[in-house]
Amino acid sequence: MFSTTVTSEQFIQAIIDTVYMVGMSLFAGSLIGIPIGILLVVTRPGVFWRTSCCIPCSIRSLTSFVLCPLSFCWWRLFRSPG
């Protein structure tokens, strides 16, 4: 009735597309979710004054989370061939 023949090239391209979509969703969710999660934990009642010393640590961790993948991409892009 229907032809469901999938070539190996189509299958590999489908896997690449799926990994790309999942990666972009992970990035977008992390970009939105991590700051909201930190904000919710730090500003809940009775916690802010006890954890105010950890706010710089949270900011430093968040910037490391963002900058490490960027530095890896930068390294891969501009490294010398060979």
Side-chain angles (χ1 to χ4, degrees):
M1 181 180 280
F2 295 106
S3 175
T4 58
T5 305
V6 177
T7 65
S8 61
E9 292 86 18
Q10 291 174 330
F11 188 71
I12 291 171
Q13 185 61 43
I15 290 174
I16 292 170
D17 291 343
T18 301
V19 169
Y20 176 74
M21 288 187 296
V22 169
M24 292 304 290
S25 298
L26 177 68
F27 177 74
S30 298
L31 195 65
I32 294 169
I34 290 174
I36 290 174
I38 291 171
L39 184 69
L40 287 173
V41 168
V42 170
T43 60
R44 68 181 171 190
V47 176
F48 181 72
W49 297 113
R50 288 186 302 181
T51 60
S52 61
C53 63
C54 294
I55 292 173
C57 296
S58 300
I59 293 170
R60 187 173 35 232
S61 297
L62 185 61
T63 56
S64 296
F65 178 75
V66 171
L67 292 177
C68 283
L70 290 177
S71 64
F72 178 73
C73 292
W74 183 266
W75 174 77
R76 292 278 303 206
L77 186 62
F78 293 107
R79 68 181 176 156
S80 61

